[in-house]
Amino acid sequence: MALDALLEEGSVGGAARRLHLSEPATSRALGRIRAVIGDPILVRSGRAMVLTPRAQDIRTEVHALVERTRAVFTPPGPPDLGSLDRTFSILGEDVSISVGPGLLAFLRAAAPGVSLRFLGESPSADGHELRDGLADLDIGVVPDAPPEIRVEHLFTDRVVAVVRPGHPLAAAPLTLPEYAAAGHVSASRRGHLTGPIDEALAEHGLRRTVALAVPTFAASMLVVARTDLVGLMPRTMGRETIASLGLVAVEAPVELPPIQLSMAWHQRYDADGAHRWLREGVRRTVSALTADPA
């Protein structure tokens, strides 16, 4: 900074004023610069100071380096959305149906060069996709995230049982014995055939039969639409899927743990302007989805 000021001002006094230093302090800085560069930089010519040929040669380069350094240490401003060309990768196969369309509309309204890529969720829960830069966000249930992963709660949903139209269990309030006696489809990215509802049934001495396990809620609803199997679905986030398939949501006969929908990202994106804007888009999209229908 001192060298740039001396080269731009061509005098110790002018450089001191630019740097908000005293002239003696600036003179000492000039002495150190001379020793390092091996050139006097400024020399007297009559009553004025002039730059040496070496100083003239490096003036433009030094100023450019200072400007680049200043840019590095300047906090980033908001992104230029109109020219933003970026693909965001999101872990969350199920939310691609519920969140995807609204989020894409929000993003492309301001940034037509932005694209979304929803990825299948990993069977592991260690956040390595976020850590390794394979995904920008994880939207879903995010348990036990490692310390470098930021987690923000978005919405608490509750689970309902879902059956096809005309299913025997769709006409009347569902009882525990009826529910346990039916065939079931499980939605589990890890292929689990049991879950919290099995623990609840066991407390009543009941056990259900899971005939099929699929990796996503959306896949389970397609199975429900074509069979007599009973599925489970988040009521609010799955509202459009249930309606589009013409399925019937039935209150589960036992209280189930709520689903905590969150988004997670690696801490390296905390200050990234485009990523912060993406996260705001997720918040707004989820808020619109979870608002009470008119």
Side-chain angles (χ1 to χ4, degrees):
M1 300 290 284
L3 176 58
D4 182 51
L6 288 163
L7 295 174
E8 291 295 309
E9 296 294 331
S11 72
V12 172
R17 287 188 293 272
R18 174 183 284 208
L19 297 169
H20 303 289
L21 296 173
S22 66
E23 288 195 26
T26 307
S27 293
R28 290 193 294 271
L30 175 58
R32 292 190 294 270
I33 290 169
R34 284 168 168 168
V36 171
I37 294 180
D39 186 90
I41 301 297
L42 280 171
V43 295
R44 186 165 296 281
S45 177
R47 301 181 61 182
M49 301 289 287
V50 296
L51 298 178
T52 65
R54 170 67 172 152
Q56 292 281 5
D57 288 343
I58 65 173
R59 179 180 178 182
T60 300
E61 184 179 356
V62 167
H63 186 69
L65 285 171
V66 168
E67 289 302 308
R68 287 199 293 270
T69 302
R70 184 177 288 114
V72 168
F73 289 99
T74 299
D80 180 5
L81 299 179
S83 62
L84 185 62
D85 183 9
R86 187 162 169 178
T87 297
F88 292 109
S89 297
I90 300 176
L91 286 170
E93 221 169 339
D94 268 313
V95 298
S96 64
I97 296 174
S98 55
V99 175
L103 178 59
L104 182 62
F106 170 86
L107 298 178
R108 290 181 68 88
V114 163
S115 299
L116 290 179
R117 175 170 51 206
F118 281 88
L119 307 174
E121 298 176 66
S122 169
S124 67
D126 61 2
H128 78 89
E129 293 93 347
L130 300 176
R131 183 189 62 234
D132 297 342
L134 302 176
D136 297 288
L137 273 182
D138 184 354
I139 304 177
V141 178
V142 187
D144 304 323
E148 69 270 21
I149 302 300
R150 309 288 194 228
V151 180
E152 178 180 327
H153 178 258
L154 294 170
F155 178 70
T156 300
D157 210 345
R158 63 190 185 91
V159 177
V160 292
V162 183
V163 296
R164 64 166 178 80
H167 192 286
L169 300 183
L174 188 58
T175 66
L176 272 174
E178 288 173 335
Y179 179 82
H184 296 264
V185 54
S186 169
S188 169
R189 65 179 179 178
R190 297 180 180 87
H192 293 165
L193 296 176
T194 59
I197 195 162
D198 297 283
E199 298 173 9
L201 289 172
E203 292 179 0
H204 296 272
L206 298 171
R207 182 179 177 181
R208 66 175 183 157
T209 299
V210 177
L212 178 66
V214 293
T216 67
F217 282 115
S220 73
M221 292 300 98
L222 292 173
V223 171
V224 166
R226 300 178 60 184
T227 67
D228 280 336
L229 298 180
V230 180
L232 294 173
M233 188 74 170
R235 173 182 279 279
T236 302
M237 295 302 292
R239 184 165 52 207
E240 292 185 5
T241 300
I242 293 171
S244 65
L245 293 175
L247 302 177
V248 180
V250 183
E251 291 295 331
V254 63
E255 186 173 350
L256 296 173
I259 293 179
Q260 305 294 341
L261 185 74
S262 301
M263 67 173 166
W265 65 95
H266 194 274
Q267 62 185 355
R268 66 174 169 272
Y269 289 123
D270 281 349
D272 182 83
H275 199 280
R276 293 174 66 178
W277 172 67
L278 169 67
R279 300 195 303 264
E280 179 59 25
V282 171
R283 293 185 196 102
R284 294 192 186 191
T285 303
V286 171
S287 178
L289 283 171
T290 56
D292 289 334

